[in-house]
Amino acid sequence: MKSRRTVAIAGIAALAMVGALAACSDAGGSDDGKLELRVATFPPGAEQAAYDAFAEQEKQFEKANPDIDIVGVEYEWTAPTFAAQLAGGSLPDVFTVPFTDTKTLLENGQLMDVTDDIDELGYADKFNPIILDEVTGSDGNVYGFPRQAYANGLHYNRDLFEQAGLDPDQPPTTWDEVRAAAKTIAEKTGKAGYATMASGNTGGWQLSVQADSRGASLQTDNGDGTYTSTIDNDATKATLQYLHDLRWEDDSMGATFDLDWGSINQEFAAGNIGMYTSGSDVYTALVRDFGMPSDQYGLTVIPVEDSGGVLGGGDIAVMPPTLDDETKAAAVKWIDWYYMQKLLNEDAAVADAKALSASDQPVGTPVLPVLDKETYLESQKWIEPYVNVPLDQMTGFTDGIFDQTPVGEFKGQTQPIYALMDNLVQAVLTDENADIDALLAQVDVDAQALLDQ
């Protein structure tokens, strides 16, 4: 990377790709007269190998586009401060945001319209229509490039399983089995057998994951642009009671109850947590950004019951609407080259996989395809010689995920309501006598007030 002029953005949010340092969104000319384009790279603290891989990709792009100077910018998505940073122009020219926030951002006119650009690139009809809907405005226009998707999975530490006398090749398949394994791990190793996110809106996100797996519907779309909160339901109550019992009856959740996406990944990578739930694609961050040894990692599907489903998500590559035409054109070139062509073009897919593999970066992390299934399966064949993730330690997920029913995140006031739901998780983990019924009733009232604004 040539330079990284950064500004701090505080906080961390849910979906994987989560937020903190950025540079100016107004691209300018570099000393040699090239157009300088600032693009998001990795969260602060990412290992040097990640930047080495990026530097190689940067060279490849600049060779093909000698009039553009790529400037990588450390970046992590943060829900609480994003709007202010976007309004203040302190984001890169190209960055990523989670699906959950896309609707709000485009309703507020905060994303660049790329409808014509995607049409000209010729692959608008290859997107999964459900995923493309995440970046489609009420005007029918498209405001970003869906670049990756995931389903939530159950991540587990194989070493802690072995230390507790459990078989890491036979991970839990029901929530009761998860609870039993968590208790055994805590008793045998002294580490948290199970942990959950609880702050920065991620507690609400993961509460949704478990509630959805038990058949919950947390919000009703009334079909007229309004929504009704239905957080207060039996499945959400069962999930909160489950977390309460893990914490207070089994003492299997350790001693830290304000974890967010970054801190739970750090603790898991350090071998202090036996199991937790998060997006299936988090393996890359665990080994790249948090230094987890790959041989300790295991992934399986989240247990489902009572017609429940698995909550999914993803993120999109976007631009602020303030870019001038020249910078926008350069940004579209970068997004197409860096994010999209490796999904569509064999040469690009192989080049990307080679660059990542040469720098010991993960290739082949389980995701859900943003493009049609045929295109996805073909792309997996292209990169097969370079896959370096331990897929044999992820078969519980890769074999089982397509048997589960995908569930999308609720659309109305997603992040603000996740923040309200954080309070539910924290309450049951810090107060043994928390009144779950009363808490749920109040959250429904508060969530509806947000929806009625």
Side-chain angles (χ1 to χ4, degrees), residues 332-398:
V332 169
K333 282 186 177 181
W334 172 258
I335 292 172
D336 176 60
W337 186 90
Y338 185 67
Y339 292 118
M340 303 308 302
Q341 283 303 311
K342 62 187 176 184
L343 307 177
L344 292 155
N345 178 276
E346 182 173 5
D347 290 341
V350 170
D352 179 74
K354 278 184 175 180
L356 293 173
S357 178
S359 299
D360 293 324
Q361 296 302 290
V363 178
T365 300
V367 298
L368 291 181
V370 297
L371 303 175
D372 60 78
K373 188 175 182 179
E374 180 181 354
T375 302
Y376 171 74
L377 292 177
E378 187 175 23
S379 70
Q380 295 307 290
K381 292 179 181 177
W382 296 336
I383 66 171
E384 188 174 358
Y386 306 98
V387 171
N388 56 14
V389 304
L391 290 177
D392 58 333
Q393 296 165 206
M394 306 175 183
T395 54
F397 182 87
T398 55

Side-chain angles (χ1 to χ4, degrees), residues 181 247 312 326:
R247 162 73 172 97
E326 185 182 11

Side-chain angles (χ1 to χ4, degrees), residues 52-265:
D52 291 343
F54 181 86
E56 178 60 32
Q57 293 165 315
E58 180 183 9
K59 290 177 183 177
Q60 293 171 4
F61 178 82
E62 291 180 346
K63 182 178 181 180
N65 300 274
D67 57 334
I68 300 174
D69 181 19
I70 295 297
V71 178
V73 177
E74 287 186 332
Y75 169 80
E76 238 183 340
W77 161 258
T78 69
T81 60
F82 177 79
Q85 295 293 332
L86 182 59
S90 57
L91 287 165
D93 303 314
V94 176
F95 54 97
T96 58
V97 295
F99 287 167
T100 47
D101 289 81
T102 307
K103 293 294 186 183
T104 300
L105 293 174
L106 61 86
E107 286 171 4
N108 293 339
Q110 295 172 308
L111 299 179
M112 178 73 79
D113 187 335
V114 295
T115 309
D116 293 341
D117 304 281
I118 290 181
D119 285 342
E120 289 176 10
L121 288 167
Y123 47 76
D125 60 346
K126 282 188 171 293
F127 283 106
N128 180 328
I130 296 175
I131 290 177
L132 191 63
D133 181 62
E134 298 288 345
V135 292
T136 302
S138 57
D139 57 3
N141 290 347
V142 179
Y143 289 84
F145 290 71
R147 62 119 188 171
Q148 71 174 11
Y150 65 86
N152 276 272
L154 179 67
H155 309 264
Y156 63 97
N157 186 300
R158 294 175 62 88
D159 279 7
L160 290 181
F161 264 60
E162 291 180 347
Q163 292 171 28
L166 302 171
D167 185 352
D169 294 325
Q170 298 291 326
T173 60
T174 67
W175 285 117
D176 285 344
E177 290 179 2
V178 170
R179 181 179 177 182
K183 186 175 182 181
T184 299
I185 291 169
E187 290 175 347
K188 299 290 187 180
T189 71
K191 303 295 179 66
Y194 184 89
T196 191
M197 302 177 211
S199 64
N201 304 6
T202 63
W205 172 44
Q206 288 304 309
L207 176 57
S208 295
V209 169
Q210 277 212 35
D212 287 340
S213 78
R214 293 177 167 89
S217 175
L218 302 178
Q219 193 175 95
T220 299
D221 185 341
N222 299 320
D224 58 1
T226 66
Y227 301 89
T228 300
S229 177
T230 55
I231 298 170
D232 186 0
N233 61 67
D234 289 344
T236 311
K237 180 178 179 179
T239 297
L240 291 169
Q241 187 64 52
Y242 181 82
L243 294 174
H244 173 278
D245 294 346
L246 283 170
R247 162 73 172 97
W248 297 103
E249 292 186 10
D250 301 347
D251 192 23
S252 61
M253 296 189 71
T256 305
F257 308 111
D258 60 351
L259 298 167
D260 59 16
W261 187 89
S263 55
I264 202 168
N265 289 336

Side-chain angles (χ1 to χ4, degrees), residues 36-48:
E36 189 176 86
L37 186 71
R38 293 177 171 83
V39 302
T41 57
F42 313 110
E47 62 183 27
Q48 184 59 42

